[in-house]
Amino acid sequence: MRKLIVRREIELAEEGILATIRDSETGGPVRPLITGREPHPTGRVLCIKAGHRSLPWESIKAEYPFMEVAEVASPVRYFMSQPHKLTMRVTGPELTLDFFPDFELVADARFVRMLDEGAPFWHAAMQWRPDGAPFDGRHVIIEVKDDKDPRNKDPEYQHKLGLAKDVYESINYSFFPIVRSRDLPNADAWSAGHEVWLDRKTAVTAVDVARVVHVLAATGGVAPYSKVAARDRGRPRWTCRACSVARSARAQR
C-alpha cells in the first residue's frame, strides 16, 4: 500500500505553487524527533502497522494517544510518523515553505468519508464496521495538535497548512488536522481500545480466531467482549488473545 515513488512534483496553476514530496530512503520517518535535548517528554513505541518499526513521538498528550488509536483502529491498515518532507515553492518573500506532516495513514475510504463529514477521529475509528467489500485504501495526512499549541493561532502556520492541504488534495490525498480535545478519547471512553493496544503484540493462532468466530456465530455475529473473553478462561493467555482477535472478528464491547 505504500507509494513507491520517492519524489513527486505537483504544480498548482491557480496558486503558483511547485511542490516536491520526498520520502525517507529507509521507508521510516524522514527525520529523528528525539535528540535527548527536548524540554518535554518524548519517546518511541513499537507499532505493528508501521511495519513493526519503533516510531518516535514528541507529544505525550496528543501524538502518543493518536498512535494508540491508529494502531487499534480496524479501518487503518498502515501508518507512519514523519512520513515525508513537503517543500512548496511559492511567490512572495519566502521562496520555499517546508512541511513535515506528523503522520500518514492508509485507511479505508468509508472511514475517510466519515472524517470528511466531521466525525471526530476516534469516533469514526470505533464506529467503522467491515461490510464485506474489498478494502479501498486511501492515503491520509494527519497533523496532530494539542489544544494549547501556540501554532493554532499563528496565521503564517495556518496558511502553510492550507497550502499543504491544496497540494495533497491535488494528488488525491486527504488532509486532516487532529485536535486532542475533539478527536482523541479520554481514558474512560477508551478503556476497551487501550486493552487491545496493550495486547497488540500477542501471538494469535488460527485456533484462537476459530474460537472467537464460534462464539459470534452462536450469537448472530455480534457479542460483548466479556462473553468472547470468557470463552475459555482456563487458558492463561486467552484473554490477551481474545482482546487481540476481537476487533477483526467484529466483537463489540
Side-chain angles (χ1 to χ4, degrees):
M1 299 299 298
R2 287 291 293 155
K3 55 187 178 295
L4 301 178
I5 301 175
V6 174
R7 173 175 172 148
R8 274 199 284 315
E9 292 190 346
I10 309 99
E11 186 170 6
L12 305 180
E14 293 183 0
E15 298 290 341
I17 304 170
L18 183 66
T20 303
I21 296 176
R22 290 185 175 88
D23 290 343
S24 166
E25 294 181 359
T26 66
V30 295
R31 63 174 180 172
L33 296 177
I34 302 171
T35 65
R37 300 178 182 178
E38 290 79 5
H40 52 80
T42 61
R44 303 184 70 90
V45 61
L46 176 68
C47 295
I48 308 302
K49 292 182 180 178
H52 292 80
R53 286 185 174 89
S54 180
L55 299 184
W57 54 267
E58 59 178 351
S59 168
I60 198 169
K61 292 183 178 180
E63 287 189 7
Y64 183 86
F66 174 84
M67 294 167 74
E68 185 169 322
V69 175
E71 179 83 335
V72 169
S74 295
V76 176
R77 294 291 179 89
Y78 174 90
F79 76 96
M80 176 58 61
S81 63
Q82 297 288 306
H84 56 252
K85 176 183 178 181
L86 170 63
T87 299
M88 298 172 285
R89 292 193 286 277
V90 298
T91 56
E94 290 191 61
L95 295 179
T96 63
L97 294 174
D98 291 334
F99 177 60
F100 294 87
D102 290 328
F103 297 96
E104 180 178 346
L105 315 178
V106 175
D108 184 73
R110 290 188 294 116
F111 168 72
V112 177
R113 283 196 295 271
M114 294 170 73
L115 298 180
D116 273 329
E117 293 168 359
F121 184 85
W122 82 278
H123 283 180
M126 295 300 98
Q127 291 172 2
W128 182 91
R129 294 290 182 272
D131 61 359
F135 179 75
D136 185 5
R138 304 296 173 88
H139 286 272
V140 181
I141 305 300
I142 298 290
E143 187 71 3
V144 183
K145 291 291 173 282
D146 190 12
D147 297 72
K148 297 181 180 180
D149 192 313
R151 290 175 295 179
N152 294 336
K153 297 181 180 180
D154 183 346
E156 292 186 2
Y157 178 75
Q158 295 302 318
H159 177 62
K160 181 165 69 171
L161 291 186
L163 294 179
K165 185 175 187 293
D166 289 341
V167 172
Y168 290 126
E169 289 182 347
S170 74
I171 55 173
N172 295 320
Y173 280 30
S174 297
F175 178 87
F176 297 103
I178 297 296
V179 180
R180 178 170 66 93
S181 64
R182 175 184 179 277
D183 292 288
L184 300 175
N186 59 42
D188 291 338
W190 184 243
S191 59
H194 188 62
E195 290 278 346
V196 178
W197 164 260
L198 293 177
D199 297 323
R200 67 191 184 282
K201 292 184 285 184
T202 302
V204 177
T205 68
V207 174
D208 297 320
V209 175
R211 287 175 180 270
V212 173
V213 171
H214 177 76
V215 174
L216 296 179
T219 57
V222 177
Y225 171 72
S226 58
K227 186 169 184 177
V228 176
R231 172 64 178 82
D232 192 349
R233 292 191 181 275
R235 300 173 63 203
R237 293 182 59 81
W238 170 247
T239 300
C240 291
R241 289 176 174 176
C243 190
S244 300
V245 173
R247 56 194 168 116
S248 61
R250 303 180 63 191
Q252 295 180 340
R253 184 178 173 87

